[in-house]
Amino acid sequence: MDHKRDIFSSRRAAIFAMAGSAIGLGNIWRFPYMVGEHGGAAFILVYLFATVFLSLPIFLSESIIGRRTHLGPYGAMAKLAPGTPWKHVGLLTICSAMIIISFYSVVGGWSVDYLFKAIRLEFLPERSEQVSSMFGSMISNTWLPILCHTAFLGLTAVIVVLGVRKGIERFSKISMPVLFVLIVAIMCYSLSLPGAGEGVAYLVKPDFSRLDASAVASAMGQSFFSLSLGVGTILTYSSHIRKSENLITSGLGTSLFDLLFAILAGFAVMPAVFAAGIEPGAGPGLIFETLPYIFSSMGAQMPVLSSVIAILFFLTILIAALTSSISMLETGVTYLVEEKGLRRRTAVIILFGVTWALGCLCSLSFGPLSGVKLFGKTIFEFCDSLTSDFLMTLGGLLFTLFVGWKMSRADVRDELTSGGLYPANAKIFKFTYFLIRYVAPVVIGVVFVTNLLM
Ligand code: PHE
């Protein structure tokens, strides 16, 4: 089917959109904690290795498939390997993206609620004792989290309906710089608190003795999740990149922004946690219990400043989560528009319905449905672990195998050098191809099998 496709207007627009997908909840609630727990700067080093040798090859594989065909995951694989089952791999990755957005938007919804709480000045010093417990009662509530999840998914849908150029590109172009300004402002506040030094030490002091197998596995998992790999979103965004663009530059640019944001988030979060004398943790507890507690207890000395920071913080989380969720929804929408011939608006409405319904189940799994268990996990935990531990790795593995072993070497080279336009890329082609063909699939395969057996 022939479709008039939007193309990102510039290199910057493409990188901002992909960085928007990459920068999300993963950077804020998992990365800072992982760094601290797994040996500070030593962990960052491993993370860098994992990003260069494993994540970037997957990233480039997705970019190559997407840009080569200017189609979404299903259409691209059907076109490059006609008459083979590869297209079903494309469909599988699209389904993974739909599962992720379902539980991701529940958390996005919590950030909507907390933004309003911050605006209503609910994190006041005299209430600091209740602030941490507020979270548990909010998420176990039936209707409020569903309402917020609906609002978050609705916002996502509105941006996606507007299209790649008018919706996604425009939103990312504004939100990326805003996100960086916000996180730097919060970091300055956090670093200025008395006792912040301990949090800095927690993040930077290299401790190689803590680099065990689990640290290495965490670094890889975090790098995949953070760069939105294995679920076809990078492939879909790349299908909107113009032919003359340098794929290696956009891959590197996106990874750098993602890493920089994760590190800034670490310095925004951990110094405040240590200043308040709290044990750091990861996950929802860190951003919805610990930080609100800190905002409220600091409020005694600096009521105006800490209220402003609380508002900015939840705004940052909301924007970061939104730029990620639009990339997931777009992946599904591309499929319905390209393969099923639906209008964009109809496709958005259908997928809004599907992901909203699954998201409601995830949301209710903190309350009325908390007793429903799949393999010993609640619905939310199950969706999270099915995708993060299993489907994303499988998708990443299959994308590298497809580019390394199914596509012809000449085609891969042509795409990676933009038809010979970038001689520097031709020079590193051998090495990059080696990573895509051997290193990445072997290591990712081992991680996949280990996850499967554990
Ligand atoms: N990279 C996003 C984050 O760090 C999550 C994401 C996963 C987005 C998969 C799109 C696809 O939060």
Side-chain angles (χ1 to χ4, degrees):
M1 231 173 279
D2 217 18
H3 286 281
K4 239 182 86 232
R5 281 175 79 83
D6 273 352
I7 289 288
F8 286 123
S9 63
S10 63
R11 170 183 298 178
R12 202 181 55 179
I15 296 183
F16 276 14
M18 292 202 283
S21 171
I23 295 171
L25 296 167
N27 302 55
I28 304 172
W29 85 21
R30 269 179 45 191
F31 186 82
Y33 172 77
M34 274 188 182
V35 173
E37 271 316 281
H38 295 299
F43 177 83
I44 296 185
L45 216 63
V46 178
Y47 185 86
L48 275 178
F49 263 95
T51 301
V52 173
F53 293 106
L54 303 174
S55 299
L56 268 175
I58 307 178
F59 196 109
L60 289 176
S61 301
E62 290 202 34
S63 294
I64 288 166
I65 303 172
R67 218 258 309 256
R68 187 91 192 145
T69 53
H70 289 306
L71 291 168
Y74 181 92
M77 290 183 130
K79 186 170 178 184
L80 292 172
T84 68
W86 277 104
K87 57 179 185 286
H88 301 302
V89 169
L91 194 56
L92 175 81
T93 62
I94 297 166
C95 293
S96 313
M98 296 305 100
I99 300 176
I100 300 182
I101 191 177
S102 306
F103 70 83
Y104 203 87
S105 77
V106 170
V107 184
W110 298 345
S111 64
V112 173
D113 181 50
Y114 268 64
L115 176 61
F116 281 109
K117 281 190 164 66
I119 293 172
R120 286 198 307 261
L121 303 179
E122 288 194 25
F123 307 130
L124 288 176
E126 58 273 21
R127 306 183 60 181
S128 66
E129 288 315 314
Q130 301 145 30
V131 164
S132 321
S133 57
M134 226 180 224
F135 180 59
S137 56
M138 189 273 284
I139 59 172
S140 55
N141 195 300
T142 303
W143 295 111
L144 180 65
I146 288 191
L147 188 73
C148 296
H149 153 65
T150 311
F152 179 85
L153 207 53
L155 274 175
T156 307
V158 167
I159 302 168
V160 174
V161 161
L162 292 173
V164 169
R165 191 97 170 232
K166 289 208 190 96
I168 296 174
E169 174 173 326
R170 246 198 334 198
F171 185 66
S172 323
K173 256 188 172 162
I174 304 168
S175 56
M176 277 302 108
V178 169
L179 271 183
F180 274 89
V181 170
L182 285 174
I183 202 77
V184 168
I186 300 167
M187 183 183 76
C188 293
Y189 165 80
S190 193
L191 288 173
S192 73
L193 296 172
E198 240 184 284
V200 175
Y202 175 76
L203 288 172
V204 298
K205 229 167 85 196
D207 181 354
F208 287 92
S209 68
R210 292 170 88 165
L211 277 187
D212 48 11
S214 102
V216 177
S218 302
M220 287 195 276
Q222 173 65 13
S223 178
F224 291 177
F225 187 81
S226 197
L227 282 171
S228 313
L229 298 173
V231 296
T233 54
I234 294 302
L235 191 160
T236 304
Y237 273 9
S238 301
S239 72
H240 298 281
I241 295 181
R242 60 165 66 111
K243 277 286 175 213
S244 56
E245 195 47 75
N246 189 340
L247 289 184
I248 295 192
T249 315
S250 35
L252 282 175
T254 306
S255 320
L256 274 178
F257 274 134
D258 185 50
L259 178 67
L260 181 64
F261 191 87
I263 292 178
L264 291 173
F267 286 109
V269 171
M270 286 308 169
V273 171
F274 278 83
I278 297 176
E279 265 299 295
L286 179 66
I287 52 179
F288 295 108
E289 288 174 347
T290 313
L291 287 166
Y293 172 78
I294 295 167
F295 296 139
S296 62
S297 54
M298 299 293 172
Q301 294 100 37
M302 305 175 270
V304 178
L305 185 61
S306 70
S307 308
V308 172
I309 294 287
I311 295 172
L312 297 185
F313 182 73
F314 288 108
L315 188 64
T316 309
I317 295 183
L318 177 61
I319 299 175
L322 264 178
T323 52
S324 296
S325 65
I326 55 178
S327 72
M328 298 180 228
L329 189 60
E330 176 63 25
T331 306
V333 167
T334 302
Y335 171 71
L336 291 183
V337 171
E338 273 172 10
E339 306 304 324
K340 302 289 168 207
L342 297 186
R343 283 170 54 200
R344 177 169 271 272
R345 198 175 341 138
T346 317
V348 170
I349 293 172
I350 292 177
L351 290 177
F352 175 89
V354 172
T355 54
W356 179 80
L358 182 56
C360 286
L361 294 179
C362 291
S363 178
L364 292 172
S365 74
F366 291 96
L369 297 184
S370 61
V372 180
K373 297 272 161 77
L374 300 160
F375 298 96
K377 293 184 159 74
T378 66
I379 303 172
F380 183 101
E381 288 164 357
F382 177 75
C383 290
D384 180 9
S385 120
L386 175 70
T387 47
S388 317
D389 301 336
F390 186 73
L391 291 177
M392 291 186 101
T393 326
L394 181 64
L397 173 65
L398 292 168
F399 282 137
T400 51
L401 287 177
F402 186 79
V403 173
W405 298 89
K406 182 73 196 160
M407 284 180 74
S408 79
R409 187 188 155 97
D411 283 355
V412 176
R413 190 187 163 91
D414 182 68
E415 205 51 48
L416 216 50
T417 57
S418 298
L421 202 62
Y422 297 102
N425 291 5
K427 279 201 192 114
I428 56 166
F429 175 72
K430 251 193 172 157
F431 177 64
T432 316
Y433 195 55
F434 177 72
L435 289 181
I436 293 178
R437 212 164 139 89
Y438 299 102
V439 180
V442 169
V443 181
I444 300 163
V446 170
V447 174
F448 179 70
V449 173
T450 320
N451 280 350
L452 206 60
L453 297 179
M454 277 195 334

